[in-house]
Amino acid sequence: MLSNFARNVVFGVLTIAASITAAPAFAAASDYKFEVVSTQPAGPAKTEIAVRLVHLPDGKPVSGAVVFQTRGDMGPEGMAEMTTTVTPTAAQPDGLMRYQVGTSMAGSWALTLSAKVPGESQTVKGSVTFKAAQ
Ligand SMILES: [Cu+2]
């Protein structure tokens, strides 16, 4: 049984440890999040999607990120093995990343992106989920 004093000391130490961990001395890959900006059907079994990368601490979109790996699959519907094509469709002057994803089945699809971000040594990887109609 801890005394109140001991409990407060333990709590204080944990609080300090937590604030040290959270100190933004260096950006981390977990400081970023991919977000869907828009989706629209692009012909039979195809969906056009625009995604942006946001720096979570200040909520600002990141420009200059270079996506070097993508994956599309139906993981959100329990069909992670059902992969598909992901084709970049436009340059990214506005910081948006646009892709045409093959969506041969109606339902929820996941687009997973791996990117290099200026000033960030770690690879930033994240997924967005979007709906495709048929
Ligand atoms: Cu499927």
Side-chain angles (χ1 to χ4, degrees):
M1 192 76 159
L2 289 172
S3 68
N4 272 343
F5 174 74
R7 208 175 292 137
N8 286 342
V9 168
V10 169
F11 181 73
V13 169
L14 290 177
T15 306
I16 291 166
S19 47
I20 289 171
T21 308
F26 298 96
S30 57
D31 286 343
Y32 300 88
K33 188 180 180 219
F34 288 99
E35 290 180 351
V36 176
V37 176
S38 65
T39 58
Q40 61 181 75
K46 286 178 185 141
T47 301
E48 190 93 28
I49 181 168
V51 173
R52 73 175 158 220
L53 183 63
V54 174
H55 182 236
L56 292 174
D58 57 16
K60 290 187 176 154
V62 175
S63 57
V66 177
V67 174
F68 63 91
Q69 194 172 52
T70 56
R71 175 189 162 97
D73 64 60
M74 272 198 107
E77 301 277 9
M79 290 178 270
E81 74 287 352
M82 188 175 170
T83 56
T84 190
T85 54
V86 180
T87 311
T89 56
Q92 309 167 5
D94 51 5
L96 295 186
M97 305 150 210
R98 291 186 173 81
Y99 299 95
Q100 190 174 87
V101 182
T103 45
S104 55
M105 190 175 180
S108 291
W109 291 77
L111 173 63
T112 303
L113 307 114
S114 300
K116 284 291 175 197
V117 176
E120 172 57 60
S121 58
Q122 291 178 288
T123 291
V124 174
K125 187 174 180 183
S127 288
V128 296
T129 300
F130 65 96
K131 291 247 184 220
Q134 268 295 288

